[in-house]
Amino acid sequence: GRHRLRAMMLPSAVLLPSQPALALCVLARSAREDPPLGGEELPGLVVGEYLHLFAGAPDGGLVYGGSLDGAREGWLRGDQIRPLSLAEVAAAVAAGVSASLPLSAVLR
């Protein structure tokens, strides 16, 4: 007998996020007001806090990031953060900072 192949409908693949970049908060509140963030800014920023960066505008003017524990996320202006170099990331990880996303944040 002849076998017929049946088309299978597979669910759409879900891409897992790539590993975020690490940055340091250098300004809790930006001096810039443009562009407006419309209430979607990262709440509760503290100068010296490490942050995960997920995405951003090509010019670096806006970035989307979150707290290391995954509890807070939102938009920041580029002047509020300083991305860490690879050497700084290595030093931070050696000091106990987690460069990885918590599983709860990955599954959201």
Side-chain angles (χ1 to χ4, degrees):
R2 212 173 207 198
H3 295 286
R4 289 187 184 170
L5 294 177
R6 293 175 50 176
M8 290 178 45
M9 295 300 290
L10 297 176
S12 297
V14 175
L15 295 176
L16 293 177
S18 62
Q19 204 54 11
L22 273 182
L24 193 64
C25 175
V26 295
L27 285 175
R29 187 152 181 86
S30 176
R32 293 179 24 220
E33 295 297 325
D34 198 44
L37 300 178
E40 298 295 324
E41 62 273 356
L42 180 63
L45 280 175
V46 176
V47 172
E49 173 182 17
Y50 288 101
L51 302 166
H52 285 136
L53 300 182
F54 305 114
D59 67 358
L62 285 178
V63 293
Y64 193 81
S67 59
L68 295 185
D69 63 5
R72 299 174 291 130
E73 61 182 54
W75 289 99
L76 304 109
R77 290 187 175 85
D79 64 344
Q80 292 180 272
I81 54 104
R82 183 178 61 78
L84 300 183
S85 69
L86 290 177
E88 290 173 312
V89 170
V93 169
V97 173
S98 174
S100 300
L101 285 174
L103 184 58
S104 60
V106 172
L107 296 177
R108 272 192 252 159

mmCIF file with all atom_site columns, all heavy atoms in Angstrom, residues 51-66:
data_model
loop_
_atom_site.group_PDB
_atom_site.id
_atom_site.type_symbol
_atom_site.label_atom_id
_atom_site.label_alt_id
_atom_site.label_comp_id
_atom_site.label_asym_id
_atom_site.label_entity_id
_atom_site.label_seq_id
_atom_site.pdbx_PDB_ins_code
_atom_site.Cartn_x
_atom_site.Cartn_y
_atom_site.Cartn_z
_atom_site.occupancy
_atom_site.B_iso_or_equiv
_atom_site.pdbx_formal_charge
_atom_site.auth_seq_id
_atom_site.auth_comp_id
_atom_site.auth_asym_id
_atom_site.auth_atom_id
_atom_site.pdbx_PDB_model_num
ATOM 1   N N   . LEU A 1 51 ? 22.083 45.621 36.887 1.00 0.00 ? 51 LEU A N   1
ATOM 2   C CA  . LEU A 1 51 ? 20.860 45.382 36.127 1.00 0.00 ? 51 LEU A CA  1
ATOM 3   C C   . LEU A 1 51 ? 21.139 44.468 34.942 1.00 0.00 ? 51 LEU A C   1
ATOM 4   O O   . LEU A 1 51 ? 22.253 44.445 34.413 1.00 0.00 ? 51 LEU A O   1
ATOM 5   C CB  . LEU A 1 51 ? 20.303 46.703 35.578 1.00 0.00 ? 51 LEU A CB  1
ATOM 6   C CG  . LEU A 1 51 ? 19.965 47.785 36.596 1.00 0.00 ? 51 LEU A CG  1
ATOM 7   C CD1 . LEU A 1 51 ? 19.764 49.112 35.892 1.00 0.00 ? 51 LEU A CD1 1
ATOM 8   C CD2 . LEU A 1 51 ? 18.738 47.386 37.384 1.00 0.00 ? 51 LEU A CD2 1
ATOM 9   N N   . HIS A 1 52 ? 20.112 43.724 34.527 1.00 0.00 ? 52 HIS A N   1
ATOM 10  C CA  . HIS A 1 52 ? 20.163 42.986 33.270 1.00 0.00 ? 52 HIS A CA  1
ATOM 11  C C   . HIS A 1 52 ? 19.627 43.894 32.174 1.00 0.00 ? 52 HIS A C   1
ATOM 12  O O   . HIS A 1 52 ? 18.599 44.553 32.366 1.00 0.00 ? 52 HIS A O   1
ATOM 13  C CB  . HIS A 1 52 ? 19.271 41.741 33.322 1.00 0.00 ? 52 HIS A CB  1
ATOM 14  C CG  . HIS A 1 52 ? 19.846 40.637 34.121 1.00 0.00 ? 52 HIS A CG  1
ATOM 15  N ND1 . HIS A 1 52 ? 19.104 39.918 35.016 1.00 0.00 ? 52 HIS A ND1 1
ATOM 16  C CD2 . HIS A 1 52 ? 21.082 40.093 34.155 1.00 0.00 ? 52 HIS A CD2 1
ATOM 17  C CE1 . HIS A 1 52 ? 19.853 38.992 35.571 1.00 0.00 ? 52 HIS A CE1 1
ATOM 18  N NE2 . HIS A 1 52 ? 21.061 39.086 35.065 1.00 0.00 ? 52 HIS A NE2 1
ATOM 19  N N   . LEU A 1 53 ? 20.294 43.934 31.028 1.00 0.00 ? 53 LEU A N   1
ATOM 20  C CA  . LEU A 1 53 ? 19.804 44.670 29.863 1.00 0.00 ? 53 LEU A CA  1
ATOM 21  C C   . LEU A 1 53 ? 19.350 43.672 28.824 1.00 0.00 ? 53 LEU A C   1
ATOM 22  O O   . LEU A 1 53 ? 20.108 42.789 28.430 1.00 0.00 ? 53 LEU A O   1
ATOM 23  C CB  . LEU A 1 53 ? 20.901 45.567 29.280 1.00 0.00 ? 53 LEU A CB  1
ATOM 24  C CG  . LEU A 1 53 ? 21.481 46.630 30.201 1.00 0.00 ? 53 LEU A CG  1
ATOM 25  C CD1 . LEU A 1 53 ? 22.502 47.457 29.439 1.00 0.00 ? 53 LEU A CD1 1
ATOM 26  C CD2 . LEU A 1 53 ? 20.393 47.510 30.786 1.00 0.00 ? 53 LEU A CD2 1
ATOM 27  N N   . PHE A 1 54 ? 18.099 43.816 28.369 1.00 0.00 ? 54 PHE A N   1
ATOM 28  C CA  . PHE A 1 54 ? 17.512 42.863 27.428 1.00 0.00 ? 54 PHE A CA  1
ATOM 29  C C   . PHE A 1 54 ? 17.503 43.382 25.990 1.00 0.00 ? 54 PHE A C   1
ATOM 30  O O   . PHE A 1 54 ? 17.675 42.620 25.051 1.00 0.00 ? 54 PHE A O   1
ATOM 31  C CB  . PHE A 1 54 ? 16.079 42.526 27.834 1.00 0.00 ? 54 PHE A CB  1
ATOM 32  C CG  . PHE A 1 54 ? 15.954 42.015 29.236 1.00 0.00 ? 54 PHE A CG  1
ATOM 33  C CD1 . PHE A 1 54 ? 15.281 42.753 30.193 1.00 0.00 ? 54 PHE A CD1 1
ATOM 34  C CD2 . PHE A 1 54 ? 16.515 40.817 29.606 1.00 0.00 ? 54 PHE A CD2 1
ATOM 35  C CE1 . PHE A 1 54 ? 15.161 42.294 31.493 1.00 0.00 ? 54 PHE A CE1 1
ATOM 36  C CE2 . PHE A 1 54 ? 16.404 40.342 30.904 1.00 0.00 ? 54 PHE A CE2 1
ATOM 37  C CZ  . PHE A 1 54 ? 15.726 41.082 31.851 1.00 0.00 ? 54 PHE A CZ  1
ATOM 38  N N   . ALA A 1 55 ? 17.242 44.658 25.831 1.00 0.00 ? 55 ALA A N   1
ATOM 39  C CA  . ALA A 1 55 ? 17.103 45.224 24.488 1.00 0.00 ? 55 ALA A CA  1
ATOM 40  C C   . ALA A 1 55 ? 17.283 46.728 24.581 1.00 0.00 ? 55 ALA A C   1
ATOM 41  O O   . ALA A 1 55 ? 17.280 47.300 25.670 1.00 0.00 ? 55 ALA A O   1
ATOM 42  C CB  . ALA A 1 55 ? 15.720 44.901 23.921 1.00 0.00 ? 55 ALA A CB  1
ATOM 43  N N   . GLY A 1 56 ? 17.395 47.356 23.419 1.00 0.00 ? 56 GLY A N   1
ATOM 44  C CA  . GLY A 1 56 ? 17.521 48.798 23.434 1.00 0.00 ? 56 GLY A CA  1
ATOM 45  C C   . GLY A 1 56 ? 17.497 49.381 22.045 1.00 0.00 ? 56 GLY A C   1
ATOM 46  O O   . GLY A 1 56 ? 17.574 48.661 21.045 1.00 0.00 ? 56 GLY A O   1
ATOM 47  N N   . ALA A 1 57 ? 17.381 50.681 21.995 1.00 0.00 ? 57 ALA A N   1
ATOM 48  C CA  . ALA A 1 57 ? 17.418 51.399 20.730 1.00 0.00 ? 57 ALA A CA  1
ATOM 49  C C   . ALA A 1 57 ? 18.838 51.352 20.183 1.00 0.00 ? 57 ALA A C   1
ATOM 50  O O   . ALA A 1 57 ? 19.800 51.338 20.962 1.00 0.00 ? 57 ALA A O   1
ATOM 51  C CB  . ALA A 1 57 ? 16.980 52.847 20.949 1.00 0.00 ? 57 ALA A CB  1
ATOM 52  N N   . PRO A 1 58 ? 18.984 51.342 18.866 1.00 0.00 ? 58 PRO A N   1
ATOM 53  C CA  . PRO A 1 58 ? 20.333 51.280 18.278 1.00 0.00 ? 58 PRO A CA  1
ATOM 54  C C   . PRO A 1 58 ? 21.267 52.399 18.745 1.00 0.00 ? 58 PRO A C   1
ATOM 55  O O   . PRO A 1 58 ? 22.463 52.185 18.880 1.00 0.00 ? 58 PRO A O   1
ATOM 56  C CB  . PRO A 1 58 ? 20.077 51.385 16.776 1.00 0.00 ? 58 PRO A CB  1
ATOM 57  C CG  . PRO A 1 58 ? 18.685 50.908 16.591 1.00 0.00 ? 58 PRO A CG  1
ATOM 58  C CD  . PRO A 1 58 ? 17.946 51.306 17.848 1.00 0.00 ? 58 PRO A CD  1
ATOM 59  N N   . ASP A 1 59 ? 20.728 53.574 19.026 1.00 0.00 ? 59 ASP A N   1
ATOM 60  C CA  . ASP A 1 59 ? 21.580 54.682 19.465 1.00 0.00 ? 59 ASP A CA  1
ATOM 61  C C   . ASP A 1 59 ? 21.881 54.646 20.963 1.00 0.00 ? 59 ASP A C   1
ATOM 62  O O   . ASP A 1 59 ? 22.607 55.484 21.480 1.00 0.00 ? 59 ASP A O   1
ATOM 63  C CB  . ASP A 1 59 ? 20.955 56.023 19.090 1.00 0.00 ? 59 ASP A CB  1
ATOM 64  C CG  . ASP A 1 59 ? 19.668 56.331 19.852 1.00 0.00 ? 59 ASP A CG  1
ATOM 65  O OD1 . ASP A 1 59 ? 19.210 55.497 20.665 1.00 0.00 ? 59 ASP A OD1 1
ATOM 66  O OD2 . ASP A 1 59 ? 19.107 57.420 19.619 1.00 0.00 ? 59 ASP A OD2 1
ATOM 67  N N   . GLY A 1 60 ? 21.321 53.678 21.692 1.00 0.00 ? 60 GLY A N   1
ATOM 68  C CA  . GLY A 1 60 ? 21.564 53.555 23.124 1.00 0.00 ? 60 GLY A CA  1
ATOM 69  C C   . GLY A 1 60 ? 20.785 54.535 23.968 1.00 0.00 ? 60 GLY A C   1
ATOM 70  O O   . GLY A 1 60 ? 20.940 54.578 25.176 1.00 0.00 ? 60 GLY A O   1
ATOM 71  N N   . GLY A 1 61 ? 19.896 55.324 23.352 1.00 0.00 ? 61 GLY A N   1
ATOM 72  C CA  . GLY A 1 61 ? 19.125 56.322 24.083 1.00 0.00 ? 61 GLY A CA  1
ATOM 73  C C   . GLY A 1 61 ? 18.100 55.724 25.027 1.00 0.00 ? 61 GLY A C   1
ATOM 74  O O   . GLY A 1 61 ? 17.792 56.307 26.058 1.00 0.00 ? 61 GLY A O   1
ATOM 75  N N   . LEU A 1 62 ? 17.573 54.567 24.675 1.00 0.00 ? 62 LEU A N   1
ATOM 76  C CA  . LEU A 1 62 ? 16.621 53.844 25.522 1.00 0.00 ? 62 LEU A CA  1
ATOM 77  C C   . LEU A 1 62 ? 17.038 52.388 25.593 1.00 0.00 ? 62 LEU A C   1
ATOM 78  O O   . LEU A 1 62 ? 17.459 51.805 24.593 1.00 0.00 ? 62 LEU A O   1
ATOM 79  C CB  . LEU A 1 62 ? 15.203 53.901 24.947 1.00 0.00 ? 62 LEU A CB  1
ATOM 80  C CG  . LEU A 1 62 ? 14.431 55.193 25.079 1.00 0.00 ? 62 LEU A CG  1
ATOM 81  C CD1 . LEU A 1 62 ? 13.075 55.060 24.397 1.00 0.00 ? 62 LEU A CD1 1
ATOM 82  C CD2 . LEU A 1 62 ? 14.239 55.563 26.537 1.00 0.00 ? 62 LEU A CD2 1
ATOM 83  N N   . VAL A 1 63 ? 16.928 51.804 26.780 1.00 0.00 ? 63 VAL A N   1
ATOM 84  C CA  . VAL A 1 63 ? 17.204 50.383 26.955 1.00 0.00 ? 63 VAL A CA  1
ATOM 85  C C   . VAL A 1 63 ? 16.096 49.772 27.804 1.00 0.00 ? 63 VAL A C   1
ATOM 86  O O   . VAL A 1 63 ? 15.453 50.459 28.601 1.00 0.00 ? 63 VAL A O   1
ATOM 87  C CB  . VAL A 1 63 ? 18.576 50.124 27.611 1.00 0.00 ? 63 VAL A CB  1
ATOM 88  C CG1 . VAL A 1 63 ? 19.711 50.547 26.700 1.00 0.00 ? 63 VAL A CG1 1
ATOM 89  C CG2 . VAL A 1 63 ? 18.690 50.803 28.950 1.00 0.00 ? 63 VAL A CG2 1
ATOM 90  N N   . TYR A 1 64 ? 15.865 48.479 27.595 1.00 0.00 ? 64 TYR A N   1
ATOM 91  C CA  . TYR A 1 64 ? 14.896 47.750 28.407 1.00 0.00 ? 64 TYR A CA  1
ATOM 92  C C   . TYR A 1 64 ? 15.685 46.818 29.307 1.00 0.00 ? 64 TYR A C   1
ATOM 93  O O   . TYR A 1 64 ? 16.529 46.054 28.840 1.00 0.00 ? 64 TYR A O   1
ATOM 94  C CB  . TYR A 1 64 ? 13.926 46.961 27.527 1.00 0.00 ? 64 TYR A CB  1
ATOM 95  C CG  . TYR A 1 64 ? 12.736 46.461 28.308 1.00 0.00 ? 64 TYR A CG  1
ATOM 96  C CD1 . TYR A 1 64 ? 11.666 47.307 28.574 1.00 0.00 ? 64 TYR A CD1 1
ATOM 97  C CD2 . TYR A 1 64 ? 12.689 45.178 28.811 1.00 0.00 ? 64 TYR A CD2 1
ATOM 98  C CE1 . TYR A 1 64 ? 10.565 46.882 29.302 1.00 0.00 ? 64 TYR A CE1 1
ATOM 99  C CE2 . TYR A 1 64 ? 11.596 44.737 29.542 1.00 0.00 ? 64 TYR A CE2 1
ATOM 100 C CZ  . TYR A 1 64 ? 10.543 45.591 29.789 1.00 0.00 ? 64 TYR A CZ  1
ATOM 101 O OH  . TYR A 1 64 ? 9.462  45.173 30.526 1.00 0.00 ? 64 TYR A OH  1
ATOM 102 N N   . GLY A 1 65 ? 15.459 46.921 30.598 1.00 0.00 ? 65 GLY A N   1
ATOM 103 C CA  . GLY A 1 65 ? 16.233 46.123 31.537 1.00 0.00 ? 65 GLY A CA  1
ATOM 104 C C   . GLY A 1 65 ? 15.406 45.700 32.729 1.00 0.00 ? 65 GLY A C   1
ATOM 105 O O   . GLY A 1 65 ? 14.217 45.987 32.824 1.00 0.00 ? 65 GLY A O   1
ATOM 106 N N   . GLY A 1 66 ? 16.081 45.012 33.641 1.00 0.00 ? 66 GLY A N   1
ATOM 107 C CA  . GLY A 1 66 ? 15.399 44.535 34.829 1.00 0.00 ? 66 GLY A CA  1
ATOM 108 C C   . GLY A 1 66 ? 16.355 44.267 35.972 1.00 0.00 ? 66 GLY A C   1
ATOM 109 O O   . GLY A 1 66 ? 17.573 44.207 35.783 1.00 0.00 ? 66 GLY A O   1
#
